[in-house]
Amino acid sequence: MSKYWSKITQSVEPYVCGEQPKDKKYIKLNTNESPYPPSPRVLDAIKNAANSDLRLYPDPDCDKLRQTIAEYYNLNKEQVFIGNGSDEVLAISFLAFFNTDKPIIFPDISYSFYPVYAGLYNIKYKLAKLNEDFSIPVDKFLTGNGGVVIPNPNAPTGRCLGLDSIEKILNYNSENVVIIDEAYVDFGGTSSVGLIEKYPNLLVIHTLSKSRCLAGIRLGFALGREELIDGLNRIKNSFNSYTVDRIANEAAIEAIKDENYFEQCVDKVENTRQWVIAELKELGFNIVPSKANFIFITHPTYAAKLIFTNLRKKGVLVRYFDKDRIDNYLRVSIGSDEDMKFFIKKLKEIIDEIN
Amino acid sequence: MSKYWSKITQSVEPYVCGEQPKDKKYIKLNTNESPYPPSPRVLDAIKNAANSDLRLYPDPDCDKLRQTIAEYYNLNKEQVFIGNGSDEVLAISFLAFFNTDKPIIFPDISYSFYPVYAGLYNIKYKLAKLNEDFSIPVDKFLTGNGGVVIPNPNAPTGRCLGLDSIEKILNYNSENVVIIDEAYVDFGGTSSVGLIEKYPNLLVIHTLSKSRCLAGIRLGFALGREELIDGLNRIKNSFNSYTVDRIANEAAIEAIKDENYFEQCVDKVENTRQWVIAELKELGFNIVPSKANFIFITHPTYAAKLIFTNLRKKGVLVRYFDKDRIDNYLRVSIGSDEDMKFFIKKLKEIIDEIN
């Protein structure tokens, strides 16, 4: 603790992200990255953007990228907000929309950055306890909140909420912003984007880090009514005018435009997920139904923490959360078929070694 | 105004950055960009980084870049903090160090983002009125503040403060953080970096947008004692774990390493500044002494606003601030010799047309 730290610096509990190992080469199934490289069109766009124009600031409004995203989702560009990764978009959204006397609400088992944002901005929150099967208890979000945040599919569980349930939540919370964090929606979920026309309180957040294979480029966006996007811009322009650089702009445009490549990558992940689940069931694991590029698994006999530690020793990183209710689960990102065969092989070795 | 906006969204007065025109090609002397492209080594590094690893998150700690910067400044890497442009570094610094009952203090004529940050985080501030010649009144910073921010050289004036004066301010404000914003220091100023060893309350902020010709890549950094850098990391990791992407990381490393190219660019800007000042004096302009890549000029006869408007019509953008005390000044970035010849030519035309 330093005497120079502000009260907020003293009190925050920073987010701890999944390990980015530097010691040796691992099979990385711990941060839900895509096992596939970005579209070749993205790589070409980056190479083309490596030119003398880098001496100039980027377009602070990302007009061309917003137009591209708007066309993809059948919106107009005033309904699109761009940020330096969806984490930044979320952080800006918390500050832009949440600070009434009433607490905001999000699931107790969820993306662990939400309580961190709340801590950073002194926003009161309460947790909606997930049902025993980790499904989202819709009724608990109908309680007079100061705002709602739901990841759909949820992380780290992978479970999805239907649009009928989301509409119920949107209707009840008509005076507050409801954020649907769709980081993982492309892997089998149903997007709420189509509800934007009907609900002025809906903000949908996406990222290029998962289904677009671009975690390394830092690009996220929010979709919603113009008044919400205006609010986000007011905060962003009070923080950093140019959050997205020239290269990321060009890369993102091509990532959105190359629909074929995107669909191929998503299909491959879904196919791999299917056979991995079957193999894990053979080994006696229980798997939470997943519409994401990860699965959340537990075993009635072998402790998750022990498996986690032994996988690490054998060169496979998965994510273990030492938290109430989920401390016997592992979140495993869906890698390539080759990665997942290695993972299953090592898992079998570990089970053999324990027995 | 939307009912969904938080109080802070309603009350902020966002920063308005220098125009990035989309309508036609201008000679851009309005945002202090470098007229020179980034080092060829930087462009090569970007092309090399356009590979399949972009599917992976970047190193959240930017270890390699921090090591490179530390070596350049004779520090260790725990004394370096990296951000998505120096605006982000400043925003994080305000939140990390300023929130006591006492107001922070910065010059009345200065970077106009400072009051915006203060507004965003509800930080009280007072303005130290610059002397008539726009020099910084050191005594006004010796008043029991909650923090100090001084750009050195100052913007938009270009005036520099000597290290003896900075030491006086550091000594008096030993209980508060003193931020020296050195965005423009490479063009003839003296950096305070050497004082970090002596003063635990000193934070020095730099950017690659000006002297490193990389405004398009968004990279800034802070240098200071480890306890200050730790504070910045606590806030950053409560906001966005991965603020700097893989491409920007690699680009920045090469930009710092290519010292020859950097020195050549800086020399050229200084040489151009010299002859431009001489020409402007010929035309009757008064020029504030500048150690930056811009000059702050006024004319006893011709109104700044009129010149600004007419320059724009003739395809030259400069910056005009419609603010008390400086509303008859223009801030003119130093472009290439060719740009500046065009600027002087158009200026002469305008003066002829008025007469």
Side-chain angles (χ1 to χ4, degrees), chain A residues 105 157 281 318:
Chain A
I105 183 164
T157 68
K281 281 186 180 160
V318 300

Side-chain angles (χ1 to χ4, degrees), chain B residues 219-282:
Chain B
L219 206 299
F221 54 93
L223 306 169
R225 289 285 188 86
E226 197 172 336
E227 61 177 309
L228 298 189
I229 302 304
D230 281 351
L232 293 174
N233 276 317
R234 288 180 66 81
I235 296 296
K236 176 237 169 197
N237 288 322
S238 302
F239 174 79
N240 187 3
S241 312
Y242 307 96
T243 53
V244 176
D245 68 44
R246 284 180 170 262
I247 303 273
N249 251 298
E250 296 302 323
I253 289 168
E254 288 307 311
I256 299 291
K257 280 188 172 168
D258 196 349
E259 296 190 36
N260 277 341
Y261 186 84
F262 159 74
E263 279 158 20
Q264 281 167 28
C265 290
V266 165
D267 283 352
K268 281 193 275 185
V269 168
E270 291 184 36
N271 289 336
T272 305
R273 184 176 63 198
Q274 201 173 357
W275 73 252
V276 169
I277 288 173
E279 289 260 7
L280 288 171
K281 280 185 180 161
E282 284 286 314

Side-chain angles (χ1 to χ4, degrees), chain A residues 2 12 57 96 174 227 234, chain B residues 2 4 9 12 96 210 227 234:
Chain A
S2 159
V12 285
Y57 284 97
S174 60
E227 62 177 310
R234 288 179 67 81
Chain B
S2 158
Y4 297 118
T9 306
V12 285
K210 317 294 179 184
E227 61 177 309
R234 288 180 66 81

